[in-house]
Amino acid sequence: MVTSALGATAFALASLGAVTATAGPAAADPCGFYKTSSDAFYNHCTSDGSNVVIHVRTALAPDYERCVGPGRSWLGSAGKIQGAHYTGRTC
């Protein structure tokens, strides 16, 4: 009786561990513009290594364009950056 209770507990813990292990990749940076609680980023997802021009919308300052390479680029404080999008041009 004690053995089967221990087995059930071990199975339940192993199941929870499997869920935790598979939940990790879902937390990866999304493609395009996103914010955390403190920072704003643009993640250029590409398989060809291209650089692209993005339009960055700011609060209380002029918008601007920026050339970004593959991967995550820090744009600034989350409170100062309102959004960013791909302009359709490479750089």
Side-chain angles (χ1 to χ4, degrees):
M1 172 96 89
V2 172
T3 306
S4 53
L6 289 175
T9 302
F11 177 75
L13 290 175
S15 296
L16 288 174
V19 169
T20 302
T22 56
D29 298 336
C31 295
F33 175 75
Y34 69 96
K35 288 184 180 183
T36 65
S37 60
S38 59
D39 297 296
F41 297 93
Y42 188 88
N43 189 22
H44 175 41
C45 300
T46 181
S47 60
D48 66 4
S50 62
N51 294 335
V52 297
V53 177
I54 61 170
H55 178 89
V56 181
R57 290 184 297 116
T58 62
L60 305 175
D63 293 355
Y64 63 92
E65 290 188 347
R66 178 174 169 187
C67 180
V68 297
R72 184 174 73 164
S73 296
W74 183 74
L75 301 178
S77 165
K80 294 181 179 179
I81 306 297
Q82 295 179 326
H85 65 272
Y86 171 53
T87 64
R89 302 188 327 258
T90 57
C91 49

